[in-house]
């Protein structure tokens, strides 16, 4: 039996990509969209009519909602962000959560039913427009990926600055920022679950033929990306807090560097060549450079508190590195925004609003003071190594749900047919 079918990008017209995705705080590489499946034809002889109809109804609801949601997912100006990031996103997430326990019945105890239905999804990052597989585990993987992308979309809506009631600078409330951290951890949990609990269920041949959207490297990179953005918000909250020390801020900034570096490493050798894929790579590169600017800035400030010529020289080198990375990050940001589909930055807020003002000012001041105090030989030409901290932010613990109780109510006919299949 043929295990998979990938449709070349130049056939069909299911993948509709926007030319402009508006303001982006959190990058989402499009939504993979499920296509209609005929459960009755594939499973009608093996399952009760009521269970087949339930599977069909649950998945059809997702197909319809996802098709409606995908074209508007990035039209941020036309969407109303609620406290939880938009009701339509939440409705689709709920539909996926309702479907998953029923779907898992197809793979329960290694059931041969898992190979009976051909599931078809439209890709976004892969060259192939769509991928079809006779694998219920492929469907589970696709569902978890979509749940994660919807969560990242919710976070994006929460992190777009809104004009305040007093008409001053657009800002993001602390409540929205804390809610976004929770959503990032949830998205990371879905992706972590996909990597740890679903990918190992797929035979190596199937894994090799997955679209790049679902490649292990992409799933891990998206997970790390969510955690990196979560730490970015934590750093912004620390900057706003009078109780947070420089050491706390440096630790958060250094952790953020590690998350983005690992995300970039996971994407390194993957064929992310088309619009969404190339833009995804550019987003991670930009955020990695931005994180290094923050880390070297706080490392420089702490080194400058030392009482030796050497520590002051290292501080200047770190601050100069921060300034260079800040300049480089602006170029990387421009490269990201001008790649298709084009995008734009929301008004600066949080960590980068603060650092874009402080890094040039403090670097100029510290360099001038230290060069007045010491000879040029005491100023390091290369930046000191950043301290290495263990990563503190972890994905939410996400386990696959228990198989829906309706599977326990199957008729004797279904049980007998399963035995025949195994025979």
């Amino acid at each position: 039996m043929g295990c998979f079918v990938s449709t070349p990008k130049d056939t069909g017209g299911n993948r509709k990509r926007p030319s402009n995705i508006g303001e982006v705080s959190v990058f989402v590489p499009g939504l993979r969209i499920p296509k209609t499946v005929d459960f009755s034809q594939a499973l009608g002889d093996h399952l009760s009519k009521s269970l087949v109809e339930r599977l069909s109804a649950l998945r059809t609801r997702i197909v319809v909602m996802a098709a409606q949601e995908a074209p508007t997912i990035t039209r941020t100006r036309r969407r109303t962000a609620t406290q939880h990031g938009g009701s339509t996103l939440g409705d689709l997430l709920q539909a996926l959560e309702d479907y998953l326990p029923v779907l898992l019945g197809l793979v329960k105890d290694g059931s041969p039913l898992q190979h009976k239905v051909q599931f078809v999804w439209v890709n976004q990052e892969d060259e192939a427009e769509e991928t079809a597989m006779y694998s219920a585990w492929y469907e589970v993987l696709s569902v978890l990926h979509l749940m994660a992308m919807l969560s990242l979309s919710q976070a994006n809506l929460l992190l777009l600055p809104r004009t305040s009631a007093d008409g001053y600078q657009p800002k993001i409330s602390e409540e929205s920022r804390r809610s976004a951290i929770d959503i990032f951890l949830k998205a990371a949990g879905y992706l972590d679950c996909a990597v740890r609990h679903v990918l190992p269920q797929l035979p190596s041949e199937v894994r090799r033929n997955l679209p790049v959207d679902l490649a292990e490297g992409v799933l891990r990179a998206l997970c790390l990306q969510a955690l990196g953005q979560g730490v970015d918000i934590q750093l912004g909250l620390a900057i706003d807090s009078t109780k947070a020390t420089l050491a706390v801020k440096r630790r958060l900034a250094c952790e953020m560097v590690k998350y983005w570096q690992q995300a970039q490493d996971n994407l390194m050798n993957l064929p992310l060549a088309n619009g969404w894929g190339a833009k995804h790579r550019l987003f991670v590169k930009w955020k990695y450079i931005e994180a290094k600017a923050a880390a070297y800035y706080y490392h420089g400030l702490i080194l400058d508190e030392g009482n030796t010529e050497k520590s002051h020289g290292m501080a200047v080198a770190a601050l100069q590195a921060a300034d260079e990375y800040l300049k480089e990050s602006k170029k990387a940001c421009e490269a990201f925004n001008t790649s298709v589909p084009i995008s734009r930055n929301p008004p600066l807020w949080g960590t980068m609003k603060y650092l874009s003002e402080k890094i040039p000012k403090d670097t100029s001041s510290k360099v001038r003071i230290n060069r007045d105090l010491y000879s040029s030989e005491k100023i390091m030409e290369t930046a000191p190594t950043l301290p290495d901290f263990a990563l503190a932010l972890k994905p939410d613990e996400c386990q696959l749900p228990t198989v829906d109780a309706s599977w326990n109510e199957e008729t004797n006919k279904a049980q007998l047919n399963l035995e025949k299949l195994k025979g």
Side-chain angles (χ1 to χ4, degrees), residues 253-264:
C254 289
E255 286 184 37
M256 189 161 60
V257 170
K258 285 180 73 173
Y259 283 119
W260 287 109
Q261 181 177 16
Q262 289 179 24
Q264 185 166 267

Side-chain angles (χ1 to χ4, degrees), residues 15-27:
R15 182 161 59 182
K16 297 176 182 177
R17 288 180 175 148
S19 58
N20 188 324
I21 57 174
E23 291 183 347
V24 172
S25 280
V26 182
F27 177 65

Side-chain angles (χ1 to χ4, degrees), residues 236-257:
L237 293 169
I239 289 170
D240 291 346
S241 170
T242 55
K243 297 178 182 178
T245 63
L246 276 181
V248 167
K249 295 169 190 172
R250 179 178 68 174
R251 180 184 180 113
L252 289 169
C254 289
E255 286 184 37
M256 189 161 60
V257 170

Side-chain angles (χ1 to χ4, degrees), residues 71-112:
T72 64
I73 195 71
T74 50
R75 293 180 192 170
T76 49
R77 286 298 183 191
R78 301 181 188 180
R79 300 171 64 86
T80 302
T82 67
Q83 180 183 357
H84 302 291
S87 59
T88 52
L89 292 173
D91 291 343
L92 182 48
L93 259 173
Q94 186 60 56
L96 291 161
E97 289 176 11
D98 293 344
Y99 173 53
L100 195 52
V102 184
L103 169 65
L104 286 168
L106 291 176
V107 299
K108 182 181 179 183
D109 300 326
S111 168

Side-chain angles (χ1 to χ4, degrees), residues 312-375:
H312 289 165
M314 291 170 67
V316 168
L319 289 169
Q320 287 178 320
D323 196 42
E324 286 303 311
Y325 280 123
L326 181 65
K327 292 172 184 173
E328 193 181 336
S329 77
K330 291 176 181 175
K331 295 177 184 175
C333 172
E334 182 66 17
F336 166 74
N337 282 324
T338 54
S339 70
V340 180
I342 62 173
S343 54
R344 63 182 183 275
N345 283 357
L348 272 181
W349 62 278
T351 303
M352 288 316 297
K353 182 176 190 303
Y354 177 83
L355 294 181
S356 64
E357 298 166 0
K358 292 291 287 182
I359 288 176
K361 179 180 175 183
D362 287 356
T363 300
S364 174
S365 172
K366 299 291 185 187
V367 169
R368 187 178 65 252
I369 292 169
N370 283 286
R371 286 213 165 126
D372 287 346
L373 289 174
Y374 309 119
S375 62

Side-chain angles (χ1 to χ4, degrees), residues 23-60:
E23 291 183 347
V24 172
S25 280
V26 182
F27 177 65
V28 181
L31 294 186
R32 295 184 74 245
I33 304 301
K35 295 184 71 176
T36 303
V37 164
D38 188 348
F39 283 108
S40 60
Q41 184 175 3
L43 300 174
D45 294 336
H46 310 296
L47 295 176
S48 64
K49 183 180 178 183
S50 61
L51 187 51
V52 171
E53 287 178 347
R54 187 161 181 226
L55 272 167
S56 298
L58 288 168
R59 196 176 191 279
T60 299

